[in-house]
Amino acid sequence: QVQLVESGGELVQAGGSLRLSCAASGTISRTNVMGWYRQAPGKQREIVATISSGGSTSYADSVKGRFTISRDVAKNTVYLQMNSLKPEDTAVYYCNFKAITFAGVRDYWGQGTQVTVSS
């Protein structure tokens, strides 16, 4: 089992920056993908960015050039640096840990952290 602890969600003015953090603990697979998803009111959860244990990254088109995902593999921690924030970035941001083992793939989720961007 994997436990995810998220932090960093805040109220911020448009154009500002935030950094989200998510630390995974428990039975950690060396091969994994961590990432961030978000869900705005009335909308389905959508992918924001992911990063594999090998360092490969992927971003949603809406955040390219503004957000940067990174990780500390040794600490099993993923970060999301968010710059030039817009009101449309307002959402609950969820940390995701995808464990890849010989037994298959299993997803774990954090409780979410609220990011609110005001005009």
Side-chain angles (χ1 to χ4, degrees):
Q1 190 173 28
V2 176
Q3 181 183 40
L4 302 175
V5 180
E6 302 162 313
S7 63
E10 296 178 8
L11 172 65
V12 65
Q13 186 178 353
S17 299
L18 284 175
R19 191 181 81 153
L20 306 183
S21 299
C22 175
S25 62
T27 304
I28 305 300
S29 299
R30 283 186 173 269
T31 303
N32 59 73
V33 179
M34 297 188 73
W36 293 94
Y37 294 70
R38 67 186 182 186
Q39 186 169 21
K43 297 182 63 179
Q44 290 192 307
R45 190 173 302 183
E46 65 178 359
I47 191 169
V48 177
T50 64
I51 184 167
S52 73
S53 50
S56 298
T57 60
S58 179
Y59 296 91
D61 288 341
S62 59
V63 306
K64 287 181 179 178
R66 299 189 298 120
F67 292 8
T68 302
I69 190 168
S70 62
R71 68 184 294 167
D72 185 331
V73 177
K75 293 183 177 181
N76 297 307
T77 300
V78 65
Y79 307 93
L80 185 68
Q81 179 65 48
M82 304 185 293
N83 299 324
S84 302
L85 283 162
K86 305 174 181 179
E88 47 263 47
D89 294 318
T90 296
V92 177
Y93 284 70
Y94 296 91
C95 179
N96 171 260
F97 183 97
K98 187 183 297 292
I100 304 171
T101 71
F102 65 93
V105 179
R106 187 174 181 85
D107 281 298
Y108 300 88
W109 295 91
Q111 292 185 350
T113 184
Q114 177 70 49
V115 172
T116 302
V117 184
S118 63
S119 299

